[in-house]
Amino acid sequence: MVNGFDIIGQNRTLQIHWAKRVAAFAVDCLVVLAPVWILLFLLGERRVSVYGIGSGIAFFAYATVTEGIWRRTVGKTIAGLGKAAVRNVPKLFWFLFPLLDTIAGLLVEGDPRQRFSDRILGTTVAQSSLIHVRLHRIEAPQ
């Protein structure tokens, strides 16, 4: 059984793919967490649990809305990467689950570009520069 960890050490394309995903997640963390944490601080909130739960809800909402409307987040746009609500449930637990999801995805057999939750949902993040979409106009019957 070959898993993602067996391949990533020798496959430059896969290394670049995961580096872009990590960079995109870091950018998204800044976009979401900085405003949430500043707002909570200004409101006088100091409980870590409130920061964690509030950040998770904000991250989930941000990722679901941006991917639902534009099919990508700000971080994925900057990193050149291209399903919304269900796919973003792991972001509710932004502080731990994405790392575990990534490790589990690389440990199991299958497409090494997928997180574990991607495999369950049948999704894969792809580089938008490599995707070409053709639009075909459908004529209404007369």
Side-chain angles (χ1 to χ4, degrees):
M1 176 173 93
V2 177
N3 62 43
F5 284 113
D6 296 330
I7 300 170
I8 199 165
Q10 304 155 14
N11 187 317
R12 184 73 178 138
T13 303
L14 188 58
Q15 293 168 358
I16 292 169
H17 172 81
W18 278 105
K20 285 182 176 184
R21 286 190 75 167
V22 168
F25 183 72
V27 168
D28 288 335
C29 281
L30 286 173
V31 167
V32 175
L33 301 181
V36 169
W37 290 357
I38 289 169
L39 177 65
L40 288 173
F41 184 81
L42 293 175
L43 291 173
E45 185 59 59
R46 300 295 183 266
R47 291 175 292 178
V48 174
S49 60
V50 174
Y51 280 76
I53 293 168
S55 298
I57 292 169
F59 215 136
F60 172 77
Y62 159 78
T64 300
V65 169
T66 56
E67 287 185 16
I69 295 172
W70 299 291
R71 299 187 61 138
R72 63 183 72 180
T73 63
V74 172
K76 287 178 182 175
T77 300
I78 291 171
L81 300 169
K83 286 190 176 186
V86 175
R87 188 178 181 282
N88 288 304
V89 168
K91 291 182 177 118
L92 284 169
F93 308 99
W94 62 272
F95 49 89
L96 179 62
F97 195 82
L99 175 63
L100 296 177
D101 194 20
T102 299
I103 291 170
L106 289 170
L107 280 173
V108 298
E109 189 174 344
D111 187 344
R113 297 173 300 157
Q114 293 177 304
R115 297 180 318 197
F116 186 73
S117 60
D118 289 333
R119 294 208 178 130
I120 292 169
L121 295 169
T123 60
T124 301
V125 173
Q127 292 186 32
S128 59
S129 61
L130 302 177
I131 298 173
H132 302 285
V133 178
R134 291 186 200 155
L135 299 176
H136 298 282
R137 182 162 286 154
I138 298 173
E139 301 294 327
Q142 301 198 19

